[in-house]
Amino acid sequence: MNYREVHFMFGITDPGIWVGYVLAIGLTIVCVLYGLFSRSQNDGDNNGR
Amino acid sequence: MMVIIMAVDTSIFAIVTLVYLVIVLALGYYGYKKTAGSEDYMLAGRKSHPVILALSYGATFISTSAIVGFGGISAQLGMGLVWLTVFCIGVGILIAFIVFGRPTRRRGQELGAFTFPDLFGKCFKSPFMQKICGFIIIVSMPLYTAAVLIGGARFIEATLELPYDVSLLAFAIVVAAYVLFGGLIAVMYTDAFQGAIMFVGMAILLIITYSLLGGVTVANTALDNLSSMVPAALAAGGMTGWASMPEFLSPIWLTMITTMVLGVGIGVLAQPQLAVRFMTVQDDKSIRRAIMVGGPFILMMLGVAFTVGPLTNVYFMEQSGQLALEAAGGNVDSVIPLYINASMPDFFVVIFMLTLLAAAMSTLSSLIHTMGTTIGYDLFSRHTTIHPSMRGIQVGTIVMIIISTIVAYLLPGSIIARATVIFMGLCAASFIPAFLYAIYSKKPWTTAALLSLLSGAISWFLWTALVHVKESSVLGISQALFGVNAVLPMPWQNVDPIIIGLPISAVVLGVLLLVRRCCPPSLSGIKE
């Protein structure tokens, strides 16, 4: 996906805005993946440091 | 002041509110039944579910002012506030949970800490540190609590058509009731319920708004095309449009980035009512799993508010040829409620009003609980080691509710929005470096942390009182001492105190630790 397609998709001309949206959504996906990945991990750390 | 004109019959909203209150009070009763001792009352027994933690954290963080107030500001200043969403997810969730959350939980459990100041005190083995932290909380938190109380009371006054004084009192009493008896279990369960309502409400708002305006691209393009309509005063301040960033380093850019994006985005890291939640889960896995819910929750709250806010300009321009702020009579706080009433179906007006009530109650309950534990345990308890007195904390909670309600009656309307910023800024500038040092260092040096905490608080206060014109003009200290509202010229007057206080606090800590590491205590003259 190049700049023009992203630009067209959001209908916003200023990269200062759409980069913000991409980052916000991207970070949310990172949060979800991080949590999902953690579901399959066991810490064994529930007794302090 | 929040102005809400209900398009739906008041009695319908009253019935829905009643059902909502019954559920909230039932959850409060559940918390009461589950509370067997002080650890349950103060930390929900340290065994909260990750989803409860995430929703409670998010609902506490997002108050009515974040949706209505900041949503209205985004209607005025544009989509640039999306960067606050980025910071709140990146810093407020990812960094907060991973960098701060896990060590906070571990140290809290290891040391048997019950509150945020208690954690400080036990990490540094210094009751004085605990008292200083408690003092900062007790001084600043009633201001923020009063702001949330007033916001909620104004909302109830407008929607249920009750007198303001009755609304304020009723709001305080209902929230106090379940906090007082159910402790943190009640607070977190009601928070989670309220958070779920908020999530659904904002999701529907986004979908209906884009449907109404012809789809994502059409609506955004229409917003972009409004750039020629930017009022002259805002254009002079650096605003370029509602779908573009303000000019770099212009007054509007500085306010947007330093006060809103950095001030709130970083300020979230050391808020005691949020930090204490990390100690309510039993393992690190719960904290990591909570991130999975926390990220989407913040995106849905702030991302939607800062997208729909600017788009209200497209709606009002199509309907009445006015910008949103003009249509709302120049009142930023009225933009979102007016838009909801004017454009949304009746069922959603009720859902949205419930969303706002839930946002106000979830934040208020957490603040009341934190103040109650601070005054009843950290500042005045005689049993700060093993078995804190629940009765003492409950008495403290009652005292702080009364103080906050009195502050709410006394505060002028002009200081309400500032009270939120003052609380977050002071907490961030004072606590963040020392907090990070406390949870990561095995043998932290109390003097360095104390000096860092005090230098952050003092520099933050001086900048607030003498330079940052939005606060200094209200406080009047600079005017009384120097005959001017701010002692430094532009652009410094628009630089938020957190941008000054936090680096000073961090540098003081860093320099002291470096000196101590490089020079033996006997040479450097530094002693514990």
Side-chain angles (χ1 to χ4, degrees):
Chain A
M1 186 181 289
N2 61 32
Y3 170 80
R4 279 180 186 280
E5 285 167 332
V6 174
H7 168 154
F8 174 75
M9 190 173 77
F10 288 104
I12 296 168
T13 53
D14 185 358
I17 301 295
W18 64 254
V19 167
Y21 275 100
V22 170
L23 271 176
I25 295 166
L27 284 170
T28 304
I29 293 169
V30 169
C31 287
V32 173
L33 293 177
Y34 186 86
L36 281 174
F37 178 68
S38 300
R39 286 169 70 92
S40 58
Q41 282 187 326
N42 282 316
D43 312 287
D45 62 357
N46 54 348
N47 292 315
R49 279 154 77 95
Chain B
M1 177 183 162
M2 191 187 296
V3 178
I4 299 171
I5 307 150
M6 282 291 284
V8 180
D9 191 341
T10 306
S11 57
I12 295 174
F13 185 68
I15 292 166
V16 175
T17 305
L18 204 63
V19 173
Y20 161 80
L21 284 180
V22 167
I23 297 173
V24 166
L25 291 175
L27 288 169
Y29 181 72
Y30 174 76
Y32 170 71
K33 294 297 283 180
K34 295 275 280 184
T35 299
S38 50
E39 194 170 40
D40 291 334
Y41 193 84
M42 296 166 85
L43 286 174
R46 295 189 199 266
K47 52 190 177 201
S48 296
H49 191 275
V51 175
I52 300 289
L53 166 66
L55 287 175
S56 173
Y57 185 96
T60 299
F61 179 29
I62 305 296
S63 64
T64 310
S65 76
I67 299 170
V68 172
F70 277 61
I73 290 172
S74 72
Q76 183 185 26
L77 300 181
M79 285 177 161
L81 278 177
V82 68
W83 287 98
L84 176 54
T85 313
V86 173
F87 263 73
C88 285
I89 299 170
V91 178
I93 295 293
L94 276 173
I95 290 180
F97 277 63
I98 297 171
V99 178
F100 286 78
R102 291 196 296 180
T104 300
R105 187 204 67 75
R106 291 179 194 184
R107 292 290 276 165
Q109 194 172 61
E110 180 185 89
L111 298 169
F114 290 102
T115 64
F116 182 74
D118 190 29
L119 181 66
F120 258 76
K122 283 175 176 162
C123 280
F124 290 107
K125 297 184 175 63
S126 162
F128 181 67
M129 194 63 136
Q130 182 183 10
K131 304 286 181 203
I132 285 282
C133 287
F135 177 75
I136 291 175
I137 291 169
I138 286 303
V139 166
S140 60
M141 202 175 266
L143 271 178
Y144 181 35
T145 309
V148 176
L149 258 174
I150 293 171
R154 291 286 181 207
F155 164 80
I156 294 166
E157 176 194 24
T159 49
L160 295 179
E161 297 176 353
L162 291 171
Y164 172 71
D165 290 349
V166 175
S167 306
L168 184 64
L169 215 54
F171 186 40
I173 289 171
V174 168
V175 177
Y178 67 79
V179 176
L180 198 60
F181 294 106
L184 197 58
I185 296 177
V187 170
M188 290 185 76
Y189 273 88
T190 51
D191 279 358
F193 170 61
Q194 288 153 347
I197 292 176
M198 291 159 68
F199 190 94
V200 171
M202 295 305 277
I204 297 174
L205 177 63
L206 183 70
I207 292 165
I208 297 184
T209 296
Y210 272 126
S211 304
L212 207 64
L213 299 177
V216 175
T217 305
V218 172
N220 288 346
T221 304
L223 184 66
D224 207 11
N225 291 338
L226 286 181
S227 57
S228 60
M229 307 282 292
V230 172
L234 291 176
M239 185 168 164
T240 59
W242 286 272
S244 55
M245 288 297 286
E247 285 172 26
F248 184 59
L249 290 182
S250 63
I252 290 180
W253 187 93
L254 281 170
T255 302
M256 182 183 280
I257 299 300
T258 68
T259 298
M260 297 173 193
V261 175
L262 297 178
V264 178
I266 295 174
V268 63
L269 285 176
Q271 288 185 36
Q273 77 280 14
L274 296 179
V276 78
R277 274 159 173 68
F278 297 132
M279 296 195 283
T280 65
V281 290
Q282 63 180 357
D283 52 25
D284 281 3
K285 189 176 175 183
S286 298
I287 288 189
R288 289 201 298 267
R289 287 176 64 186
I291 293 173
M292 183 170 63
V293 178
F297 183 83
I298 297 296
L299 179 73
M300 197 51 78
M301 294 299 112
L302 299 185
V304 171
F306 305 153
T307 301
V308 171
L311 288 171
T312 57
N313 288 291
V314 176
Y315 176 81
F316 286 112
M317 194 53 73
E318 285 176 359
Q319 297 298 314
S320 59
Q322 289 178 303
L323 293 172
L325 198 59
E326 291 171 335
N331 186 344
V332 168
D333 288 341
S334 297
V335 171
I336 299 293
L338 181 71
Y339 167 71
I340 300 294
N341 277 313
S343 65
M344 297 287 149
D346 284 358
F347 85 93
F348 184 71
V349 175
V350 174
I351 289 177
F352 190 75
M353 293 304 167
L354 215 54
T355 300
L356 297 186
L357 186 61
M361 287 179 77
S362 54
T363 305
L364 183 65
S365 61
S366 302
L367 293 174
I368 289 174
H369 182 267
T370 303
M371 290 190 300
T373 54
T374 301
I375 198 165
Y377 174 67
D378 295 307
L379 292 180
F380 296 110
S381 174
R382 292 178 187 172
H383 310 283
T384 54
T385 49
I386 303 169
H387 297 298
S389 154
M390 229 165 83
R391 183 63 56 86
I393 295 161
Q394 286 173 322
V395 171
T397 305
I398 294 172
V399 169
M400 292 316 297
I401 290 165
I402 293 170
I403 290 175
S404 301
T405 309
I406 293 170
V407 173
Y409 272 115
L410 295 178
L411 273 183
S414 57
I415 203 143
I416 302 310
R418 309 316 308 164
T420 306
V421 178
I422 284 172
F423 168 73
M424 291 192 182
L426 179 58
C427 283
S430 313
F431 293 140
I432 289 178
F435 181 32
L436 209 52
Y437 178 50
I439 55 179
Y440 275 101
S441 175
K442 284 183 180 172
K443 289 184 179 175
W445 181 24
T446 310
T447 310
L450 191 61
L451 288 174
S452 162
L453 193 149
L454 291 176
S455 62
I458 292 168
S459 56
W460 173 90
F461 175 76
L462 290 176
W463 198 267
T464 299
L466 303 177
V467 181
H468 196 233
V469 74
K470 282 183 181 163
E471 276 96 46
S472 65
S473 58
V474 176
L475 294 172
I477 297 172
S478 177
Q479 186 68 39
L481 291 177
F482 304 105
V484 288
N485 278 335
V487 295
L488 290 183
M490 294 289 279
W492 297 106
Q493 295 176 9
N494 284 324
V495 173
D496 195 83
I498 196 176
I499 305 299
I500 307 299
L502 181 55
I504 286 177
S505 172
V507 166
V508 166
L509 181 64
V511 167
L512 284 171
L513 293 180
L514 206 64
V515 169
R516 195 194 200 200
R517 192 169 185 175
C518 296
C519 314
S522 56
L523 292 179
S524 64
I526 297 168
K527 289 179 181 174
E528 188 60 46

